[in-house]
Amino acid sequence: MKKKMMITCTVVLVTAAVILGFVLKNQVRENPDKNTVNVAIGQWGTTQNESQNYWNPDNHAVAKGMGGYYFIQTTDGISKIAFFDETTQEAVAVCAKPECTHSDNTCNAYLCDMKQTGSALYLTDTIYCYNGYLYLIQCEGGMGKLVRIHTDGSARETIADLFANTGVSSISLVFHENDVYAYDDTGHAGQEEEAEEVIKKISLTDGTEQTVFSYTGTGASIDRGRSFGDKLYFVIREYTKNKETKAVSSDYKGLFEYDFATGDTRKVIDADVCDYHADTENQMLFYFVQGTGLYAYDMTQGSNTLIYPAEDELIQCKMSYDGKNLYLFNNGAGRATETKARTQRYCYVLDTKGNQIAKILCNGVVYFGDTDYLFEENADNLEYMKKENLSDKSEWILIN
């Protein structure tokens, strides 16, 4: 079925294209020319960014606060906001009420009882900290709502309706100035008919919204939204099901850039980019082409270099950069052309030249982290790892 892209603002078409001709071997593309991917992106300004873009954007289960990290802790079905204190290395409920047991809805940290059917629930893998407030997603009546909460849990307010949602952690947010940009990272993945995916701009002041980007495709979703400088970046993914074998494959439609100031959107890399990150201080863009590997694009020189080729356990990845090193989580993906093919989960730690520092065994989804810690899920628990002296033998520590 023919696919079409509709952008609600002026679209600048990029003539850059990927030179095809890769030879597939175990799903790793042998690419002798390290500069076959063209990048059409300008240098970033010095705009201050408070969006904490080092986290995993579509699994944003941890948020940095003063002296520690906020996350949602679920015990015996009761979900509450918790705070991991960097000094004590312990987690406490975000509630200052004296003699509170933190076990029912009278607690400031209380969110919901996951065992109560029909009640309003919170997405337990979604929490943000921005400009002194926490932002969570509450699902009520089939609608995901943006909720702003004081960092001590003492007050909360609903800002706006976002997307239809029945409790699936699929709504992602990108904050910029006094607005938040929201999209559903699951979208219509796996569906066999065309559907529209959108990015909404919502005012944090009065909750007014407008659609700033839309894309129509088959089995599509918008993924990996982040802001750098005065731009919002994201990728578009499409899933295809083989009618005979029923196997589901996925491919990415490029890296897109939305200009906060002008409202214009354009494609800046026309390749199978599954994730990316940026060193804005040194004007470097790092991006991973599915099945090919990790590239480093130097904006000052205009040079584009494949610094870490894909391998059997790193066909695609989710990425982070903490100002020093790059972190590539393979998410257990075994093949680019079959989403159900799995391999062992690892987080690769690389320097910005592509030298491997560590290959860390993982138990679940890696949420990444700032300069000090890595975080990951392990069943219903949160685990952490200090970033100092990372090695292949580094071990995760359970947060109690």
Side-chain angles (χ1 to χ4, degrees), residues 40-55:
I41 191 171
Q43 295 189 30
W44 293 292
T46 57
T47 303
Q48 185 70 20
N49 192 313
E50 302 293 341
S51 64
Q52 300 187 7
N53 53 34
Y54 40 77
W55 297 111

Side-chain angles (χ1 to χ4, degrees), residues 216-229:
T216 298
T218 303
S221 65
I222 295 171
D223 291 342
R224 321 307 294 165
R226 298 184 181 94
S227 67
F228 298 109

Side-chain angles (χ1 to χ4, degrees), residues 1 25 50 103 134 136 226 247 265 287 311 319 332 340 350 394 397:
M1 185 175 293
K25 181 181 179 181
E50 302 293 341
S103 60
L134 299 177
L136 284 77
R226 298 184 181 94
T265 303
Y287 62 97
E311 55 190 54
M319 289 178 58
K340 291 184 178 180
L350 312 176
S394 295
I397 301 171

Side-chain angles (χ1 to χ4, degrees), residues 276-327:
Y276 62 95
H277 220 286
D279 175 358
T280 55
E281 181 177 350
N282 295 303
Q283 301 293 327
M284 295 289 297
L285 174 70
F286 302 97
Y287 62 97
F288 197 98
V289 176
Q290 182 172 240
T292 301
L294 177 66
Y295 286 83
Y297 178 71
D298 187 332
M299 296 182 184
T300 61
Q301 303 294 325
S303 60
N304 197 31
T305 307
L306 179 65
I307 63 172
Y308 197 93
E311 55 190 54
D312 289 344
E313 292 178 321
L314 191 64
I315 300 298
Q316 57 180 259
C317 71
K318 300 176 186 294
M319 289 178 58
S320 178
Y321 175 66
D322 62 4
K324 180 182 179 182
N325 294 322
L326 294 158
Y327 300 81

Side-chain angles (χ1 to χ4, degrees), residues 232-278:
L232 165 65
Y233 295 88
F234 57 93
V235 301
I236 293 175
R237 188 177 192 179
E238 287 196 4
Y239 295 80
T240 305
K241 179 183 288 186
N242 186 304
K243 293 183 178 179
E244 295 181 358
T245 65
K246 305 301 181 182
V248 178
S249 61
S250 68
D251 65 300
Y252 294 83
K253 301 303 178 181
L255 177 63
F256 292 78
E257 175 190 86
Y258 170 82
D259 191 310
F260 290 119
T262 67
D264 294 338
T265 303
R266 64 183 186 128
K267 184 186 288 189
V268 293
I269 302 179
D270 190 5
D272 202 1
V273 177
C274 58
D275 208 354
Y276 62 95
H277 220 286

Side-chain angles (χ1 to χ4, degrees), residues 20-58:
L20 299 178
F22 301 127
V23 178
L24 292 179
K25 181 181 179 181
N26 295 328
Q27 304 305 315
V28 178
R29 295 169 181 158
E30 302 294 340
N31 182 9
D33 185 349
K34 295 183 179 181
N35 298 293
T36 59
V37 179
N38 295 318
V39 181
I41 191 171
Q43 295 189 30
W44 293 292
T46 57
T47 303
Q48 185 70 20
N49 192 313
E50 302 293 341
S51 64
Q52 300 187 7
N53 53 34
Y54 40 77
W55 297 111
N56 188 335
D58 298 330

